[in-house]
Amino acid sequence: MSLECISKSDLTQTGFHYTLSLISGKYKMVILYCLAAFEVVRFNEMKKYIKSISYKTLSVTLKELERDGLIHREEYPQIPPKVEYSLTPRGKSLIPILDCMCRWGEQNRQP
């Protein structure tokens, strides 16, 4: 590949860049994996599974994933409020990609 070709490229207009924009962040992939494993998860359950995440960060990250169409938020009108999160079909379609990344990490991480 020549430098001229690279200089005319706009990598922000690629599918790779778009995919990374959806899953980049410290906890997004962890949340997606959690929902893939448990299917339906309530907010406080998610906090227990991801011990190192703050409540604020979890809330913001869930809102971003919902905005991007990767997760579904179901709110039940009751007291106390009950909110459940699950993967959308679009979110489920990312799981094989995340599985590949996980396998690569297991094969290549240093002991």
Side-chain angles (χ1 to χ4, degrees), residues 19-30:
T19 304
L20 280 182
S21 75
L22 295 179
I23 63 172
S24 65
K26 188 172 180 178
Y27 296 103
K28 284 185 177 180
M29 288 189 277
V30 175

Side-chain angles (χ1 to χ4, degrees), residues 92-106:
K92 288 177 184 176
S93 72
L94 271 172
I95 300 305
I97 296 165
L98 299 181
D99 284 341
C100 287
M101 291 173 69
C102 185
R103 279 193 301 279
W104 186 93
E106 289 298 322

Side-chain angles (χ1 to χ4, degrees), residues 47-97:
K47 174 66 176 99
K48 288 177 188 174
Y49 297 141
I50 311 170
K51 294 173 179 36
S52 60
I53 194 170
S54 71
Y55 287 101
K56 180 175 172 68
T57 300
L58 178 57
S59 179
V60 168
T61 306
L62 287 168
K63 286 176 185 172
E64 290 173 358
L65 290 167
E66 182 184 12
R67 179 199 66 213
D68 293 334
L70 300 177
I71 66 171
H72 172 72
R73 181 180 187 269
E74 185 71 36
E75 188 172 345
Y76 297 92
Q78 64 185 51
I79 297 176
K82 178 181 173 183
V83 178
E84 295 179 336
Y85 296 91
S86 59
L87 290 175
T88 63
R90 186 174 188 211
K92 288 177 184 176
S93 72
L94 271 172
I95 300 305
I97 296 165

